[in-house]
């Protein structure tokens, strides 16, 4: 299967700071990447869909000015949590669609654990 | 929006037993996917289903795309301790391959050795 990486895997920050999370497709070019958030013992909730070279599409209730997404290349998308607060603490997971397959399938990164103090 | 009902919510079984879980939807999906997630990790794709009625196996795992396109099941045969984890179904509707997935709430599987 396709390989998707995330960096960092874990981050602890102070309230009010900004945190950037990177998502990379390592062995394929992904025109579309997705960002999810997962709270403990809950399912994945889609935050936004990121297309290379265009603005991200945010899900209802997700603040675009707080969760900045930049999809600068076909292998890299970044999510920046601006002015993070404790309630933003969560597990953030990205996924990427592999266009090499007949039916594109989403492959997930290993996730980033964010803890805001 | 589209809703997925996944059941059971959790299962506690003995090693060697077979497991079955399923998802139903209020609307039609064009693709069904089954993922497994272990603690602190991202979901890993187990099986992808693209045609109504399709039955696909991956080792001890078997999944089917319901003929109505509103449901799917996943079976695990002869469970082993490493099968422990949370299993998620996900459906994708029309709109192309980049269309977003809708996830079920997950089935937590515990296997007692």
């Amino acid at each position: 299967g396709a390989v998707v990486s995330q960096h960092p895997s874990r981050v602890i920050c102070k309230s009010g700071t900004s945190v950037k999370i990177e998502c990379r497709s390592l062995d394929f070019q992904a025109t579309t990447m997705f960002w999810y958030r997962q709270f403990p013992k809950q399912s994945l909730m889609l935050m936004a869909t990121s297309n290379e070279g265009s603005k991200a599409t945010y899900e209802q209730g997700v603040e675009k000015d707080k969760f900045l997404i930049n999809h600068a290349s076909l292998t890299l998308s970044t999510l920046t949590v601006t002015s993070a607060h404790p309630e933003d603490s969560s597990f953030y997971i990205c996924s990427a669609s592999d266009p090499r397959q007949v039916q594109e399938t989403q492959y997930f990164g290993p996730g980033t654990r964010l803890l805001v103090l | 929006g589209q809703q997925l009902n996944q059941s059971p919510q959790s299962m506690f079984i003995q090693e060697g037993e077979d497991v079955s879980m399923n998802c139903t939807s209020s609307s039609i999906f064009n693709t069904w996917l089954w993922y497994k997630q272990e603690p602190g990790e991202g979901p890993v794709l187990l099986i992808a289903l693209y045609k109504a009625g399709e039955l696909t196996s991956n080792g001890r795992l078997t999944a089917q795309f319901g003929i109505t396109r509103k449901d799917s099941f996943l079976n695990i045969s002869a469970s082993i301790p490493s099968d422990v984890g949370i299993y998620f179904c996900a459906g994708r509707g029309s709109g192309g391959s980049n269309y977003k997935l809708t996830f079920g709430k997950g089935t937590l599987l515990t296997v007692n050795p």
Side-chain angles (χ1 to χ4, degrees), chain B residues 6 9 14 18-19 25 27 39-40 48 54 56 69 73 75 79 84-85 89 98 106 111:
Chain B
Q6 184 172 349
Q9 190 173 18
Q14 291 296 125
D18 297 342
V19 171
S25 170
S27 55
E54 180 180 358
T56 299
R69 295 165 64 191
F73 72 75
N75 287 342
S79 59
V84 166
C89 64
N98 292 329
V111 180

mmCIF file of all heavy atoms in Angstrom, chain B residues 6 9 14 18-19 25 27 39-40 48 54 56 69 73 75 79 84-85 89 98 106 111:
data_model
loop_
_atom_site.group_PDB
_atom_site.id
_atom_site.type_symbol
_atom_site.label_atom_id
_atom_site.label_comp_id
_atom_site.label_asym_id
_atom_site.label_seq_id
_atom_site.Cartn_x
_atom_site.Cartn_y
_atom_site.Cartn_z
ATOM 1 N N GLN B 6 -22.515 1.452 12.884
ATOM 2 C CA GLN B 6 -21.600 0.321 12.954
ATOM 3 C C GLN B 6 -21.893 -0.462 14.224
ATOM 4 O O GLN B 6 -22.045 0.120 15.299
ATOM 5 C CB GLN B 6 -20.142 0.791 12.943
ATOM 6 C CG GLN B 6 -19.127 -0.337 12.914
ATOM 7 C CD GLN B 6 -17.701 0.138 12.707
ATOM 8 O OE1 GLN B 6 -17.451 1.301 12.389
ATOM 9 N NE2 GLN B 6 -16.737 -0.754 12.877
ATOM 10 N N GLN B 9 -20.581 -2.254 19.055
ATOM 11 C CA GLN B 9 -19.678 -1.196 19.505
ATOM 12 C C GLN B 9 -18.384 -1.784 20.045
ATOM 13 O O GLN B 9 -17.314 -1.200 19.906
ATOM 14 C CB GLN B 9 -20.384 -0.373 20.586
ATOM 15 C CG GLN B 9 -19.671 0.896 20.972
ATOM 16 C CD GLN B 9 -20.507 1.735 21.918
ATOM 17 O OE1 GLN B 9 -21.450 1.256 22.551
ATOM 18 N NE2 GLN B 9 -20.164 3.007 22.031
ATOM 19 N N GLN B 14 -12.739 -15.027 22.634
ATOM 20 C CA GLN B 14 -11.602 -15.888 22.923
ATOM 21 C C GLN B 14 -10.796 -16.126 21.640
ATOM 22 O O GLN B 14 -11.363 -16.176 20.538
ATOM 23 C CB GLN B 14 -12.081 -17.230 23.464
ATOM 24 C CG GLN B 14 -12.710 -17.156 24.848
ATOM 25 C CD GLN B 14 -11.718 -16.704 25.911
ATOM 26 O OE1 GLN B 14 -11.955 -15.733 26.621
ATOM 27 N NE2 GLN B 14 -10.614 -17.414 26.015
ATOM 28 N N ASP B 18 -14.464 -16.814 15.659
ATOM 29 C CA ASP B 18 -14.721 -15.958 14.499
ATOM 30 C C ASP B 18 -15.444 -14.691 14.956
ATOM 31 O O ASP B 18 -16.157 -14.692 15.965
ATOM 32 C CB ASP B 18 -15.574 -16.688 13.455
ATOM 33 C CG ASP B 18 -14.861 -17.913 12.892
ATOM 34 O OD1 ASP B 18 -13.624 -18.007 13.035
ATOM 35 O OD2 ASP B 18 -15.553 -18.767 12.313
ATOM 36 N N VAL B 19 -15.263 -13.634 14.194
ATOM 37 C CA VAL B 19 -15.829 -12.336 14.539
ATOM 38 C C VAL B 19 -16.588 -11.783 13.337
ATOM 39 O O VAL B 19 -16.148 -11.958 12.193
ATOM 40 C CB VAL B 19 -14.709 -11.345 14.915
ATOM 41 C CG1 VAL B 19 -15.249 -9.930 15.063
ATOM 42 C CG2 VAL B 19 -14.010 -11.785 16.180
ATOM 43 N N SER B 25 -26.050 2.003 6.295
ATOM 44 C CA SER B 25 -26.118 3.411 5.952
ATOM 45 C C SER B 25 -27.539 3.809 5.604
ATOM 46 O O SER B 25 -28.332 2.993 5.143
ATOM 47 C CB SER B 25 -25.207 3.693 4.750
ATOM 48 O OG SER B 25 -25.422 4.999 4.243
ATOM 49 N N SER B 27 -28.035 5.964 3.315
ATOM 50 C CA SER B 27 -27.983 6.282 1.890
ATOM 51 C C SER B 27 -26.986 5.367 1.182
ATOM 52 O O SER B 27 -26.242 4.627 1.820
ATOM 53 C CB SER B 27 -27.602 7.754 1.686
ATOM 54 O OG SER B 27 -26.402 8.046 2.344
ATOM 55 N N PRO B 39 -3.898 1.584 19.046
ATOM 56 C CA PRO B 39 -3.700 2.768 19.903
ATOM 57 C C PRO B 39 -2.534 3.632 19.459
ATOM 58 O O PRO B 39 -1.433 3.134 19.219
ATOM 59 C CB PRO B 39 -3.450 2.151 21.280
ATOM 60 C CG PRO B 39 -4.150 0.846 21.240
ATOM 61 C CD PRO B 39 -3.987 0.337 19.840
ATOM 62 N N GLY B 40 -2.796 4.929 19.305
ATOM 63 C CA GLY B 40 -1.737 5.864 18.951
ATOM 64 C C GLY B 40 -1.292 5.806 17.516
ATOM 65 O O GLY B 40 -0.274 6.426 17.150
ATOM 66 N N ALA B 48 -10.887 -3.016 0.618
ATOM 67 C CA ALA B 48 -11.647 -2.017 -0.136
ATOM 68 C C ALA B 48 -12.638 -2.732 -1.047
ATOM 69 O O ALA B 48 -12.287 -3.713 -1.703
ATOM 70 C CB ALA B 48 -10.704 -1.140 -0.954
ATOM 71 N N GLU B 54 -19.907 -7.442 -4.117
ATOM 72 C CA GLU B 54 -18.509 -7.892 -4.114
ATOM 73 C C GLU B 54 -18.140 -8.510 -2.771
ATOM 74 O O GLU B 54 -18.486 -7.989 -1.720
ATOM 75 C CB GLU B 54 -17.596 -6.704 -4.417
ATOM 76 C CG GLU B 54 -16.111 -7.019 -4.438
ATOM 77 C CD GLU B 54 -15.260 -5.788 -4.736
ATOM 78 O OE1 GLU B 54 -15.839 -4.706 -4.963
ATOM 79 O OE2 GLU B 54 -14.027 -5.903 -4.725
ATOM 80 N N THR B 56 -14.728 -9.889 -0.852
ATOM 81 C CA THR B 56 -13.271 -9.831 -0.957
ATOM 82 C C THR B 56 -12.619 -10.351 0.305
ATOM 83 O O THR B 56 -13.084 -10.061 1.408
ATOM 84 C CB THR B 56 -12.814 -8.381 -1.217
ATOM 85 O OG1 THR B 56 -13.364 -7.923 -2.438
ATOM 86 C CG2 THR B 56 -11.298 -8.291 -1.307
ATOM 87 N N ARG B 69 -26.181 -1.651 -1.563
ATOM 88 C CA ARG B 69 -25.164 -0.591 -1.480
ATOM 89 C C ARG B 69 -25.301 0.255 -0.224
ATOM 90 O O ARG B 69 -24.688 1.315 -0.099
ATOM 91 C CB ARG B 69 -25.204 0.297 -2.727
ATOM 92 C CG ARG B 69 -24.822 -0.466 -3.990
ATOM 93 C CD ARG B 69 -25.208 0.278 -5.236
ATOM 94 N NE ARG B 69 -24.502 1.540 -5.367
ATOM 95 C CZ ARG B 69 -24.822 2.474 -6.254
ATOM 96 N NH1 ARG B 69 -25.842 2.295 -7.063
ATOM 97 N NH2 ARG B 69 -24.119 3.589 -6.328
ATOM 98 N N PHE B 73 -20.281 -5.884 5.611
ATOM 99 C CA PHE B 73 -19.855 -6.587 6.812
ATOM 100 C C PHE B 73 -18.400 -6.989 6.683
ATOM 101 O O PHE B 73 -17.852 -7.101 5.577
ATOM 102 C CB PHE B 73 -20.748 -7.803 7.105
ATOM 103 C CG PHE B 73 -20.559 -8.965 6.157
ATOM 104 C CD1 PHE B 73 -19.444 -9.796 6.237
ATOM 105 C CD2 PHE B 73 -21.513 -9.248 5.187
ATOM 106 C CE1 PHE B 73 -19.279 -10.860 5.372
ATOM 107 C CE2 PHE B 73 -21.350 -10.322 4.321
ATOM 108 C CZ PHE B 73 -20.238 -11.118 4.412
ATOM 109 N N ASN B 75 -15.823 -9.973 8.356
ATOM 110 C CA ASN B 75 -15.638 -11.167 9.173
ATOM 111 C C ASN B 75 -14.153 -11.428 9.387
ATOM 112 O O ASN B 75 -13.348 -11.264 8.461
ATOM 113 C CB ASN B 75 -16.257 -12.394 8.501
ATOM 114 C CG ASN B 75 -17.763 -12.384 8.540
ATOM 115 O OD1 ASN B 75 -18.371 -11.664 9.333
ATOM 116 N ND2 ASN B 75 -18.383 -13.158 7.678
ATOM 117 N N SER B 79 -9.662 -15.836 15.203
ATOM 118 C CA SER B 79 -9.007 -14.641 15.732
ATOM 119 C C SER B 79 -7.761 -14.976 16.543
ATOM 120 O O SER B 79 -7.665 -16.046 17.167
ATOM 121 C CB SER B 79 -9.995 -13.864 16.595
ATOM 122 O OG SER B 79 -10.449 -14.667 17.657
ATOM 123 N N VAL B 84 -6.467 -7.514 18.010
ATOM 124 C CA VAL B 84 -6.997 -6.482 18.900
ATOM 125 C C VAL B 84 -6.840 -5.100 18.274
ATOM 126 O O VAL B 84 -5.807 -4.767 17.717
ATOM 127 C CB VAL B 84 -6.275 -6.534 20.264
ATOM 128 C CG1 VAL B 84 -6.550 -5.275 21.059
ATOM 129 C CG2 VAL B 84 -6.683 -7.754 21.038
ATOM 130 N N GLY B 85 -7.902 -4.317 18.382
ATOM 131 C CA GLY B 85 -7.851 -2.960 17.853
ATOM 132 C C GLY B 85 -9.251 -2.432 17.619
ATOM 133 O O GLY B 85 -10.235 -3.073 17.989
ATOM 134 N N CYS B 89 -15.555 1.011 9.656
ATOM 135 C CA CYS B 89 -16.013 0.986 8.282
ATOM 136 C C CYS B 89 -16.056 2.424 7.797
ATOM 137 O O CYS B 89 -16.163 3.362 8.580
ATOM 138 C CB CYS B 89 -17.389 0.350 8.168
ATOM 139 S SG CYS B 89 -18.699 1.266 9.011
ATOM 140 N N ASN B 98 -12.028 11.589 -5.041
ATOM 141 C CA ASN B 98 -11.559 12.479 -3.991
ATOM 142 C C ASN B 98 -12.669 12.902 -3.050
ATOM 143 O O ASN B 98 -12.477 13.767 -2.210
ATOM 144 C CB ASN B 98 -10.908 13.716 -4.617
ATOM 145 C CG ASN B 98 -9.616 13.358 -5.335
ATOM 146 O OD1 ASN B 98 -8.942 12.426 -4.926
ATOM 147 N ND2 ASN B 98 -9.304 14.069 -6.381
ATOM 148 N N GLY B 106 -16.889 2.748 14.904
ATOM 149 C CA GLY B 106 -15.858 1.789 15.259
ATOM 150 C C GLY B 106 -16.358 0.635 16.098
ATOM 151 O O GLY B 106 -17.349 0.757 16.834
ATOM 152 N N VAL B 111 -9.344 -9.618 22.162
ATOM 153 C CA VAL B 111 -9.167 -11.065 22.011
ATOM 154 C C VAL B 111 -8.409 -11.594 23.219
ATOM 155 O O VAL B 111 -7.271 -11.180 23.480
ATOM 156 C CB VAL B 111 -8.392 -11.404 20.720
ATOM 157 C CG1 VAL B 111 -8.234 -12.920 20.587
ATOM 158 C CG2 VAL B 111 -9.104 -10.829 19.500
#
